[in-house]
């Protein structure tokens, strides 16, 4: 199977971390920039979005929740897991929305009203976020950790709204060898599969 991703995608990184914990080292990785609508990605997913999973049967599964459900064998087994994953996904979507609207704002054009609205949603999302468990391999917690990571990357001025307990947990989470192995700088080396990511963990 092949997972289409980008070097920065927090959604894909959460899936990679959970797949690593399940020993899925043979999962291939294909890197593309979805903002550029590259043909190698749109051939698999015409919407030019990651993650997208090309199955061994030749079907492409799009969307984080659906990729995770198939690849990780229904990882959301409890109401709490589903609640945390749903919250993390919603927070991530607002982080991406606020960033992308500002990124593609034409020069000289007034700020779109959806930008401050999305930023306000990010603030509320950080303030009321579930507590991160820094040490589990639960997919929902990885998605929450990646939501915090992407919020810090794209909106550092807003990141301080995360409460002290979550900031402490996130600091511990960032020091995990597997989390570091799927960091942006490591993924910029374009590992071919999760076996190469695991090799970076052991290095």
């Amino acid at each position: 199977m092949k997972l289409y991703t980008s070097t920065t995608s927090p959604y894909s990184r959460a899936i990679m971390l959970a797949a690593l914990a399940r020993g899925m080292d043979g999962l291939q990785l294909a890197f593309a920039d979805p903002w550029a609508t590259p043909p190698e990605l749109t051939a698999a997913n015409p919407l030019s979005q990651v993650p997208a999973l090309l199955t061994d049967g030749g079907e492409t599964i799009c969307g984080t929740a659906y990729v995770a459900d198939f690849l990780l064998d229904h990882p959301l087994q409890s109401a709490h897991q589903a609640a945390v994953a749903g919250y993390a996904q919603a927070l991530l979507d607002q982080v991406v929305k606020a960033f992308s609207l500002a990124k593609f704002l034409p020069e000289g054009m007034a700020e779109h009203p959806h930008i401050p609205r999305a930023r306000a949603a990010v603030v509320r999302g950080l303030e009321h976020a579930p507590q991160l468990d820094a040490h589990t391999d639960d997919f929902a917690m990885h998605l929450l950790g990646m939501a915090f990571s992407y919020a810090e990357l794209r909106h550092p001025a807003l990141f301080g709204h995360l409460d002290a307990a979550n900031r402490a947990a996130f600091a511990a989470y960032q020091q995990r060898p597997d989390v570091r192995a799927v960091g942006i700088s490591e993924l910029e080396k374009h590992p071919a599969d999760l076996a190469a990511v695991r090799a970076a963990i052991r290095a």
Side-chain angles (χ1 to χ4, degrees), residues 70-148:
F70 175 80
L71 183 66
L72 306 174
D73 193 23
H74 317 300
L76 306 179
Q77 295 292 319
S78 70
H80 179 67
Q81 288 173 315
V84 171
Y87 195 99
Q89 174 89 39
L91 174 57
L92 262 173
D93 289 347
Q94 291 297 329
V95 170
V96 172
K97 182 179 180 180
F99 170 72
S100 60
L101 285 173
K103 175 182 176 71
F104 294 106
L105 186 70
E107 187 175 352
M109 182 175 287
E111 185 176 73
H112 193 284
H114 283 180
I115 297 175
R117 185 175 184 275
R119 286 177 181 150
V122 171
V123 168
R124 294 193 306 273
L126 290 170
E127 289 176 341
H128 298 282
Q131 179 59 47
L132 174 67
D133 181 342
H135 306 292
T136 183
D137 283 316
D138 183 77
F139 169 69
M141 285 297 169
H142 278 311
L143 196 60
L144 184 62
M146 288 298 108
F148 293 166

Side-chain angles (χ1 to χ4, degrees), residues 4 40 42 54-55 62 80 86 95 105 107 119 127 138-139 141 151 154 156 160 182 185 192 194 196-197:
Y4 287 85
E40 62 270 24
T42 57
L54 178 63
T55 70
C62 303
H80 179 67
V95 170
L105 186 70
E107 187 175 352
R119 286 177 181 150
E127 289 176 341
D138 183 77
F139 169 69
M141 285 297 169
R154 298 305 190 194
V182 299
S185 60
L194 286 188
V197 175

Side-chain angles (χ1 to χ4, degrees):
M1 288 186 286
K2 181 186 294 185
L3 183 69
Y4 287 85
T5 182
S6 72
T7 56
T8 60
S9 171
Y11 307 96
S12 300
R13 291 163 69 199
I15 288 171
M16 281 189 267
L17 284 163
L20 272 169
R22 288 160 173 78
M24 304 179 73
D25 289 20
L27 180 64
Q28 299 174 47
L29 302 175
F31 291 89
D33 178 5
W35 301 112
T37 320
E40 62 270 24
L41 176 58
T42 57
N45 178 5
L47 300 174
S48 192
Q49 294 176 321
V50 295
L53 180 71
L54 178 63
T55 70
D56 291 337
E59 294 185 275
T60 301
I61 302 172
C62 303
T64 305
Y66 305 103
V67 171
D69 189 63
F70 175 80
L71 183 66
L72 306 174
D73 193 23
H74 317 300
L76 306 179
Q77 295 292 319
S78 70
H80 179 67
Q81 288 173 315
V84 171
Y87 195 99
Q89 174 89 39
L91 174 57
L92 262 173
D93 289 347
Q94 291 297 329
V95 170
V96 172
K97 182 179 180 180
F99 170 72
S100 60
L101 285 173
K103 175 182 176 71
F104 294 106
L105 186 70
E107 187 175 352
M109 182 175 287
E111 185 176 73
H112 193 284
H114 283 180
I115 297 175
R117 185 175 184 275
R119 286 177 181 150
V122 171
V123 168
R124 294 193 306 273
L126 290 170
E127 289 176 341
H128 298 282
Q131 179 59 47
L132 174 67
D133 181 342
H135 306 292
T136 183
D137 283 316
D138 183 77
F139 169 69
M141 285 297 169
H142 278 311
L143 196 60
L144 184 62
M146 288 298 108
F148 293 166
S149 177
Y150 207 63
E152 183 183 44
L153 175 68
R154 298 305 190 194
H155 306 288
L158 305 181
F159 191 70
H161 287 275
L162 192 66
D163 66 35
N166 261 326
R167 287 200 303 273
F170 179 60
Y173 181 75
Q174 287 181 301
Q175 295 306 310
R176 288 176 50 157
D178 56 345
V179 173
R180 293 168 69 92
V182 299
I184 294 171
S185 60
E186 287 297 321
L187 293 184
E188 285 175 346
K189 300 174 185 176
H190 291 185
D193 50 29
L194 286 188
V197 175
R198 190 176 302 282
I201 296 174
R202 295 170 176 157

